[in-house]
Amino acid sequence: MGLAKRIIPCLDVKDGETVKGTNFVNLRSAGDPVALGKAYSEQGADELVFLDITASYEGRKTFTEMVTKVAETLNIPFTVGGGINELKDVERLLYAGADKVSINSAAIRRPQLIDEITTRFGSQVCVVAIDARLDDDGWHCYLKGGRERTERKLFEWAYEAQERGAGEILFTSMNHDGTKNGYANEALCQLSDELSIPIIASGGAGKKEHFRDVFIEGHADAALAASVFHFGEIPVPELKQYLHNEGINVRL
């Protein structure tokens, strides 16, 4: 059976509230992050991801306090990302109650950050998030919440992140984000086959079958989603029972 597949709700937080958009724009409110985090923990989610999507310097202190509040309500692993540029940012969030940190733009700008985090805290703490879009010339990595294209290619960068010590890759397909048409299974399958570390799929969940497909066709180790959970479209316990019935190893 292998390791159990993980279901991970993601809270995108802006100015103290959870938001959700489509293709990284048109954000709408989805509720209080502390209440949502507690509910997901109680419903049997395997982990929780919490991203400060605007990560402005002014909001840093408020965000850290919120991480502490969320962590106090959880009994599942908790990954936090947004605005992490140096070791002291990692320290601050781990001290606030995070179990892992997710780094994205800062890692592309300065890949040595991955080495520094894993050397200091261990690979299990370091999740490298990659926002990528399938453009006419292939999959490119994007920075700043999907606003700035880089010349880094998805598969090369994911491999480098692994070699530098990253414990997991969180891959969000910008083409699929918020569309509810299913995950980028072809790219996910290639990532899973080429890398030896776990791949978390993000972007595109709209129905229970999409989760089944991302595990079977995409070979993902975990599936992350936001709006289908936040707006009650797919309850976590119901999803896990469905996956179990489909022969996928999940923790019930």
Side-chain angles (χ1 to χ4, degrees):
M1 290 285 277
L3 291 173
K5 302 294 189 180
R6 291 170 286 151
I7 299 298
I8 307 178
C10 178
L11 305 180
D12 291 326
V13 178
K14 180 177 187 284
D15 303 328
E17 65 175 6
T18 310
V19 294
K20 186 62 196 129
T22 304
N23 302 123
F24 283 48
V25 292
N26 302 326
L27 301 176
R28 59 180 174 144
S29 175
D32 171 44
V34 180
L36 281 170
K38 183 171 190 286
Y40 290 137
S41 183
E42 289 169 351
Q43 285 171 24
D46 297 295
E47 299 188 15
L48 188 70
V49 168
F50 194 76
L51 302 175
D52 179 357
I53 59 169
T54 47
S56 61
Y57 179 74
E58 306 78 60
R60 194 51 53 234
K61 188 172 186 301
T62 314
F63 181 68
T64 307
E65 286 167 1
M66 190 177 292
V67 168
T68 301
K69 285 181 188 160
V70 173
E72 284 168 354
T73 71
L74 299 182
N75 56 7
I76 55 176
F78 183 30
T79 301
V80 178
I84 297 168
N85 297 300
E86 53 190 343
L87 283 180
K88 71 177 185 184
D89 296 325
V90 179
E91 258 174 1
R92 185 185 73 249
L93 292 169
L94 293 177
Y95 185 73
D99 298 291
K100 312 178 198 179
V101 295
S102 167
I103 56 173
N104 189 334
S105 300
I108 287 185
R109 286 197 203 98
R110 194 172 70 83
Q112 296 83 352
L113 181 61
I114 302 171
D115 308 67
E116 291 167 8
I117 294 171
T118 56
T119 301
R120 177 79 175 271
F121 303 107
S123 285
Q124 77 285 350
V125 162
C126 185
V127 178
V128 172
I130 303 176
D131 297 331
R133 194 170 77 186
L134 181 55
D135 295 328
D136 292 338
D137 57 346
W139 283 98
H140 276 265
C141 301
Y142 278 71
L143 299 180
K144 297 181 180 171
R147 289 186 285 273
E148 184 182 305
R149 176 176 142 134
T150 75
E151 289 313 303
R152 298 303 306 246
K153 296 285 183 67
L154 167 64
F155 301 104
E156 293 162 16
W157 171 234
Y159 182 77
E160 181 179 333
Q162 171 185 274
E163 295 308 288
R164 287 181 177 274
E168 295 180 280
I169 299 291
L170 166 54
F171 163 52
T172 301
S173 165
M174 293 171 60
N175 308 73
H176 296 72
D177 176 68
T179 63
K180 300 190 177 178
N181 293 324
Y183 292 92
N185 291 330
E186 201 174 309
L188 284 158
C189 182
Q190 188 175 336
L191 281 171
S192 297
D193 291 352
E194 290 181 5
L195 303 186
S196 58
I197 58 176
I199 307 296
I200 304 167
S202 168
K207 52 188 183 179
K208 288 179 274 198
E209 290 80 4
H210 294 153
F211 290 89
R212 176 198 64 200
D213 294 345
V214 81
F215 294 133
I216 293 173
E217 297 168 20
H219 299 177
D221 298 278
L224 179 143
S227 58
V228 292
F229 296 143
H230 302 339
F231 301 115
E233 295 160 39
I234 303 177
V236 173
E238 194 181 293
L239 172 61
K240 287 188 143 191
Q241 190 60 56
Y242 163 81
L243 292 170
H244 174 74
N245 294 345
E246 291 287 317
I248 291 163
N249 181 17
V250 289
R251 292 186 193 87
L252 293 177

